[in-house]
Amino acid sequence: MLGSNSDSLTRQRSQPNAPDLSLHNVRDQPSLGPPPPLHSEATTAIPSDRSSSTSTNHDAGTWGERDVGGHVSRADAMDDFDSMRREISHISRQQSRPRSAARRKSIASEKSKDLEAQEQEQESDDFDLAPFLKEGYFEKRHGEVSAKKVGVVYRNLTVTGAGATAVFVKTLPQAILGTFGPDLYHLLTGWFPFLKFGNRGQTRTLINDFSGVVRDGEMMLVLGRPGAGCSTFLKAIANQREGFAGVTGDVRYGSMTAANAKKNFRGEVVYNPEDDVHFPSLSVYQTLRFALLNKTKKHAKGEVPIIINALLKMFRISHTYSTLVGNAYVPGVSGGERKRVSIAETLATKSTVACWDNSTRGLDSSTALDYTNSLRIMTDISNRTTLVTLYQAGEGIYDLMDKVLLIDSGRMVYQGPAKEAKGYFEDLGYQCPDRQTTADFLTGITDPLERHFKPGMEHSVPKGAEELERAYKNSEIYKRVLEDVETYEKQLEQTDNIDAKNFAQSVRETKSRTVSKKSPYTVSFVQQVINCTRREFWLFWGDSTTLYSKFFTIVSNGLVVGSLFYGQTSATDSAFSRGGSLFFGLVFLGWLQLSELMKAVTGREVVARHKEYAFYRPSAVSIARVVTDFPVILLQVIPFALIMYFMCNLYVGAGQFWIYFLFVYVSTLCVTGLYRMFASLSPGIDDAVRFAGLSLNILVVYTGYVIPKTQLVNQKIWFGWLYYLNPIAYAFEAVMANEFDNRDMPCSPLQLVPSGPGIDPAYQGCAIAGASIGQTSVQGSTYISTSFGYTGSHLWRNFGVVIAFTVLYILITALCSELFSFVKGGGGALVFKKSKNSAKLVASGSPADEEKGSVSGDSSPAAKVSSAEDAEKPLERISQSESIFTWTDVNYSVPTPAGPKKLLNNVNGYAKPGVMVALMGVSGAGKTTLLNTLAQRSRMGVVTGDMRVDGHPLGPEFQRGTGFCEQMDLHDGSATIREALEFSAILRQERHIPRAEKLAYVEQVIDLLELSPIEDAVVSSLGVEQRKRLTIGVELAARPSLLLFLDEPTSGLDSQSAYNIIRFIKKLSAAGQAIICTIHQPSSVLIQQFDMILALNPGGNTFYYGEVGHNGATVLEYFRERGMDCPADKNPAEFILEIAAKGGRRPDGSKIDWNEEWRTSKGNKALVDEIRAIEANRSELPRPEQITLHEFASPVWLQITELTKRMFIQHWRDSGYLYGKIFVSVIIGIFNGFTFYNLGNSIQDMQNRMFSVFLIIMIPPTIVNGVLPKFYANRALWEYREQPSRIYGWAAFCTANIVAELPMAVLTSVIYWALWYFPTGLPRSSGPSGYTFLMTLLFFFFQASWGQWICAFAPSFTVISNLLPTFFVVFALFNGVVRPYNQLSVFWRYWLYYLNPSTYWIGGVLAATLDGIPVRCLDYEAAHFNPPPGQTCAAYAGDFVSKSTGYLINPSATADCAFCPYTSGNDYLRTLNINVDNKWRDFGIFLAFVISNWALVYFFIWSVRVKGYSFGMGPLFGLLGKGVNMVKGLFKRKQK
């Protein structure tokens, strides 16, 4: 810690020797590899005037992961700056010299500098850096201060938010009723705000009348409880006003208005959000390099790697440069490291005003202090203006601040010098408890349960937000604040706004010459596109799982479908299937591009933040993705087109092949652009999938293949016009013309009319459209002209049309990305289910902040119903168990590419009833790892050691007897608080306990958690503290008999909320519960709540296990005996972490190894002896009566009923899920029914009847893509929390998920059947219509369970998305429709055709609906031939007709005989290998497929998720991954 005891806050800028450098202005090298290391660092630290006698303890510590770096101190940071300055000076000097052979040496030679090179580096120390920085680096400096500096002044700042703070949950009926009402209105006004009319709705005040100033070089700490308005204030200061109903008052940056700053200097005022959201598949190096490339003009890019290296070293994360950033689902850097990546990225903005929102969340207290030290250094060196909110801020952090702002319910209750704040409130009558930090004291003043008054002043002290605000605004401090504002503004006027002018000039000089002076961006739009394109390629190569699964899908599907059309002859019988192969070749890759929707939607938050950072325009990302598409889609088209073209025996000619290749390529680009356009217009992924799925159906149906163009345009008046809006239609016409124009097709013997003995070939015709009388061959151009209305002359015109559509989609996407932002700000309203209690809360509309605000404190009395006395009331004994859990020599290793890595090293300990154990350690020490290992939740790696209960090995009931509170607070988001607690109690308490008693216990838990007023609130809308309480409550409701594990229960909470949580946990401990809890930022007050401490160093090494003692006396005595004395005012927890991190030294100067110190200590020996004694004594006690041990507390039937009930509620409240199914059924039903409206009896109508039935195949891609995320989310919750906690088993999980889908399947099947069946004119008698309804019902059962078993089997959601098209392709194509049965290759005909469920569905429905339907050929459908002279048609062809299925249209004619190939629908069915007598057989087989789907859900969940079988897929994907890595390696070698 820097200057924890210092009385003054002298600025770094006052130091004459301060290094004249910032972190940012660095230049990039073209290499994508790691940056070269910096040269040797100076060993002399620049003295800091903030340092004191105690600060040396902190200067020698470490920052973050202690196993890889040292403590960040001011002196060390100055060394880094000095080293970087010399490095850049050295490069600058070399750049000023003429080119030489030495200049052209490789980077490798620079890495191995000899003594002479080091001497040159020392010589360059006197190089004048000012001209170098002036050419476009981070800042221009005037002497010792930055020229790029502005303060922030705000007057009467008031912010209002839109909407109520308590609303009812939106269920399915509201979603349906709102389709063409409120929802449509909100969607349109979201796109076009000017359409709003009338009352703008309910608003609430978030920030009320704030005035003040933060000068350059100053830091302000903003304090307040969650929901007070801290984030709102920072966003308002950072000029991020989107999402607020209104912002009034005046905010100026120097002399610049907020509007001017937003328009011209947006990236100079930034807001760093609390959540760390990045592209997870980028490495740390790539993330920072991308940021710097967008903030560095072209000629200054050579030093970007140097700055990256400096940033990595400064934050001690150099070891992560090639590690993925990752997220909750993608493995990457640790949470603390990811936070530092966010900090470094924000520093790369070169901003002047920075607002940091709870940037220490997830960091241990020592690391949080180091981070704040870094902010202090940056503020001093670069004259930044820094505002920061920090929860659980220690005294060392507080001492670094110049000013503090305290907010209560949106009201300013204090603003002024940080050193005067405590005294101000003490003068009002508040009392600061011993050892409470100043920040905790100030925040506690706003909490009615935590504030303390001086004796006798309880009634006179101002309380509540309004009284405190009134008192403050009448105070001398507030008057001085206003005077400070006046003084600052006068100073600006007197200096003629010279700072603002210098600031503007400095910003202009950092921009590229091609960038407008008024633009907020540093580099040109073209350069932004280039940088974003580079990032897209990084993302492409980084997500190797998606990469190899997609290419595997492309190649495998190309082979499968190519083999389907393999062996097509050049005769007329292959004409229709040849069109099918061309059609599929155009559509498939576009179909596969549906995965782009997820990328386009999920990356929005990153793009929005980068826009605010002025890295690039959002449209640059849209264009960059298109640029990336050119080579990526080319790589996809090459194997697919080659396989399809030659296996399908298409026209062998170079020109024809390249035209086919070209149209497949541009069509895929076009469809990809279409999907991205829908993503840019959609608020969420559900909307994007819904609209993209609908557009895909339109593309397929209105291409001209299913229904010919002539019929679409001339007869299908309802939706035929969509043909002209379909880019695939133009591409299909082009490839059909390309294939058939030069083709002369001999008539197939099966289509020669008449045929047989005695038939003269000169008097035969061909039964195909376009055939001429007397000709036994057909010109391809005539065929496509007659059948489809296509012509070869349109080929290049159509190419231009497809290009035009593509450009249109791209332009709309780019425009929408600039105009619309669907990124939501903070939460806001609590969402309730309808009940009497919730109705009162919703009606009251209590105010809250835009952050995930609680309804607590003075602002919302409902949230705090119990008094302080009630809060301190002890609990009844909740655990009757006296068992003791012990662990000895616990080791844990995980596999890495470099070999096994040990995360835990011989850890010992025990947990007793009524004892509360704290697991402490710096970030990365292994706290959570140890907790997971002890709780038997480790999913990989090798665990060794001995863990016992009462001296006996752990049994199958161990996990059921323990509670585990996840750090991530995983819950079913649609349940209410009461429902979640009751679910846990009913299923996890012992089965002999009556249900009424379980529910009564839930009432106690709700009261203890102080959640009664919001018990009906939906979990997804809860604030951080409320969710933490619920997590604890869910485990408590289970009545864990043995042990309660808690992982970081105070993470993300403010000090008071953290204290409330720990206080409650202490009450549980006092009631007999054994507790092991990890904690990362314990204050001195919190640490006193624990009985024991188990402290870990990185590598999982124990350096202390023992009692805490009064005020930490016992633990401090251990370290005092070893020469490390804790100051009286020091937080013991911070002291322990800091001395353990730095090592410390003995009086003789030798360094202390605390790990070894503990291993050889008496305390460790006593611990081991005590564990042995416990095991020996407890093992001799008589064991309880042997009862039947159950893995799960509740029987399977109870698990099924309770989980099914929860699933139904989940579906009902997730209105978008059910609404999406209804939407698809309605829209596809209407399109199908009215596209094939009132079908006739021609051959084309027979085909249309077939395709109308076939089009139900288009529903599963949309429905299954909706089922998959739902099932996957439920599966993840079950795997990660509910299965390890033994709440319910795999059988209950499968049953509940299956049963919950059935009611909606029934409803949507009825809707689809009614909208499709009757408009098409299919038989309306009860037999065919009833049979079709039953088959439709089964189909909807089938598609829901189909998605479920695929999701149960697949290893990840990404793999599911890429492999899913394979299932759809087989389902749609191998059923005899697109490729008739008799034309299927032998390989597929005798097994896959019969294994395909759609074969039986289509066969059964067609058999029911075409049976007995007469066929009336149109003229162009009949085969025309002339009889020999003197014979009638009947006389000449009578024998042929009598043996065929057709009839003569004009039997008595003597010329131009017309033969219709079919007499009835039964004849047409025979060509499809369908027998009407088999329709009930088909029904039974399809029913068996439905049942088998359900069985597969059970089988794969049990085998893959419970037993861990991979069925050989693991080695397959591993082999594919190696192949991809080899290709990537080739590309990297080429780049080098």
Side-chain angles (χ1 to χ4, degrees), residues 27 163 278 318-319 327 365 375 378 435 588 595 636 1031 1051 1105 1160 1179 1259 1292 1343 1416:
R27 303 191 180 173
H278 301 275
S318 297
H319 61 291
N327 59 16
S365 55
L375 283 188
M378 300 309 304
R435 284 188 174 267
F588 175 73
S595 60
Q636 298 175 17
T1031 300
S1051 178
Y1105 183 91
T1160 58
S1179 62
I1259 296 180
Q1343 65 184 354
R1416 299 289 181 262

Side-chain angles (χ1 to χ4, degrees), residues 920 1278 1336 1454:
M920 290 177 54
W1278 174 67
T1336 305
T1454 57

Side-chain angles (χ1 to χ4, degrees), residues 570-622:
S570 58
T572 55
D573 59 342
S574 293
F576 182 74
S577 66
R578 190 175 296 275
S581 62
L582 293 170
F583 172 73
F584 182 82
L586 284 176
V587 171
F588 175 73
L589 290 179
W591 188 0
L592 198 63
Q593 291 298 98
L594 272 172
S595 60
E596 289 297 314
L597 288 173
M598 184 63 73
K599 292 181 183 178
V601 174
T602 54
R604 281 177 177 170
E605 193 169 344
V606 177
V607 173
R609 185 178 73 249
H610 286 177
K611 178 185 177 183
E612 294 299 328
Y613 286 176
F615 284 169
Y616 51 79
R617 290 183 175 276
S619 55
V621 179
S622 302

Side-chain angles (χ1 to χ4, degrees), residues 796-815:
W796 294 111
R797 180 208 72 174
N798 290 359
F799 177 75
V801 172
V802 176
I803 294 295
F805 271 111
T806 306
V807 172
L808 176 65
Y809 297 150
I810 294 170
L811 292 177
I812 293 176
T813 303
L815 181 63

Side-chain angles (χ1 to χ4, degrees), residues 74 160 255 335 642 659 723 778 802 944 1059 1158 1215 1219 1221 1438:
R74 189 180 192 123
T160 55
S255 60
L642 285 170
I659 289 174
Y723 172 86
V778 180
V802 176
T944 61
Y1059 177 75
W1158 171 253
S1215 56
Y1219 178 83
K1221 291 188 172 187

